[in-house]
């Protein structure tokens, strides 16, 4: 069965620290990859997506993610976090045989302290 | 752009009643809408996929007679939880997309509490 794994459930870091959230998926075919963010009390918002081309994808708010096909990974990074980055982050995968359905990881709660 | 409105945001009702949740794409036509359920500290679990004008496709383990989905237009899908019981209490989230390879845009979710 296909699965999406996010390595950390909870991350606490200080402002200006660098952030990296891991995401691995199990699917051997072509995938589209997404990172969504959910700020407290708000709906899920798309941070960035990868469909094809350059495996290093830049998203909003200074986030980027790198697709490494050989490692089945799509890790999210930000060089210097801010307090406003406190949120829950979800990795999601859409496979070519899933008719556009997204499979989500369990999410990572990120808390940035001032 | 790409705003999805979900209503109501919070519902509290007695066991045995039916509850309808609406999902609207406000500024685009959504050929497909999705309904998710999220349990505390868990990920979103897809319940069903709804294409405009056709019957919804339910995920394994989701009772179609319990969770009625209607997608009557390109901007509106509804989820009706029939004869709701306390175990149906959860956070229900809809999303909508224009076409297959477009990202899904999410509503704010509905917190359903059955007493």
């Amino acid at each position: 069965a296909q699965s999406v794994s996010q390595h950390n459930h909870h991350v606490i870091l200080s402002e200006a620290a660098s952030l990296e959230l891991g995401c691995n998926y199990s699917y051997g075919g072509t995938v589209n990859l997404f990172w969504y963010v959910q700020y407290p009390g708000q709906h899920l918002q798309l941070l960035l997506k990868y469909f094809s081309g350059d495996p290093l994808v830049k998203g909003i708010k200074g986030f980027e993610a790198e697709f490494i096909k050989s490692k089945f990974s799509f890790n999210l990074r930000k060089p210097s976090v801010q307090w406003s980055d406190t949120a829950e982050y979800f990795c999601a995968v859409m496979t070519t045989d899933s008719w556009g359905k997204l499979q989500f990881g369990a999410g990572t709660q990120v808390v940035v302290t001032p | 752009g790409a705003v999805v409105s979900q209503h109501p945001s919070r519902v509290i009702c007695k066991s045995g009643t039916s509850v309808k949740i609406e999902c609207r794409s406000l500024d685009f036509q959504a050929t497909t809408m999705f309904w998710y359920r999220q349990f505390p500290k868990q990920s979103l679990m897809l319940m069903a996929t709804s294409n405009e004008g056709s019957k919804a496709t339910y995920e394994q383990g989701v009772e179609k007679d319990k969770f009625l989905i209607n997608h009557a237009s390109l901007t509106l899908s509804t989820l009706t939880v029939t004869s709701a019981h306390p175990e149906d209490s959860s956070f229900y989230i809809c999303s909508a997309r224009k076409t297959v390879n477009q990202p899904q845009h999410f509503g704010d979710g509905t917190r359903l509490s059955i007493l």
Side-chain angles (χ1 to χ4, degrees), chain B residues 36-89:
Chain B
Y36 296 85
R37 187 172 177 176
Q38 187 177 27
F39 292 100
K41 302 203 183 294
Q42 294 188 30
S43 185
L44 284 76
M45 299 297 295
L46 181 65
M47 298 174 66
T49 303
S50 167
N51 290 300
E52 185 266 339
S54 61
K55 290 184 179 179
T57 303
Y58 290 80
E59 295 299 299
Q60 194 170 10
V62 178
E63 300 175 59
K64 60 179 69 175
D65 294 331
K66 174 75 167 177
F67 299 99
L68 300 179
I69 291 172
N70 183 279
H71 192 162
S73 77
L74 284 170
T75 59
L76 174 64
S77 176
T78 60
L79 167 68
T80 302
V81 184
T82 62
S83 187
H85 292 287
E87 58 266 28
D88 299 322
S89 298

Side-chain angles (χ1 to χ4, degrees), chain A residues 13-19 78-83 85 112-114:
Chain A
L13 62 168
S14 302
E15 277 192 318
S18 64
L19 172 70
K78 184 169 183 177
S80 177
V81 295
Q82 300 172 312
W83 177 79
D85 293 321
V112 179
T113 60

Side-chain angles (χ1 to χ4, degrees), chain A:
Chain A
Q2 300 157 16
S3 67
V4 181
S5 174
Q6 289 183 240
H7 310 305
N8 308 96
H9 294 296
H10 208 99
V11 172
I12 302 174
L13 62 168
S14 302
E15 277 192 318
S18 64
L19 172 70
E20 180 160 359
L21 302 181
C23 174
N24 285 89
Y25 62 93
S26 63
Y27 180 70
T30 302
V31 293
N32 294 335
L33 299 159
F34 306 81
W35 275 98
Y36 282 88
V37 60
Q38 187 170 28
Y39 298 104
Q42 296 187 28
H43 60 267
L44 280 166
Q45 301 173 43
L46 182 67
L47 262 184
L48 47 79
K49 63 183 186 290
Y50 171 80
F51 283 178
S52 64
D54 189 345
L56 185 61
V57 180
K58 301 225 182 270
I60 61 172
K61 306 189 180 187
F63 285 90
E64 65 178 30
E66 186 175 13
F67 171 48
I68 303 179
K69 189 175 181 179
S70 61
K71 294 185 177 180
F72 299 90
S73 71
F74 190 55
N75 293 354
L76 180 71
R77 298 193 290 254
K78 184 169 183 177
S80 177
V81 295
Q82 300 172 312
W83 177 79
S84 57
D85 293 321
T86 294
E88 188 150 19
Y89 294 80
F90 293 92
C91 178
V93 175
M94 182 168 73
T95 62
T96 52
D97 62 356
S98 67
W99 298 96
K101 295 186 291 188
L102 286 175
Q103 186 157 359
F104 283 86
T108 299
Q109 181 67 51
V110 173
V111 175
V112 179
T113 60

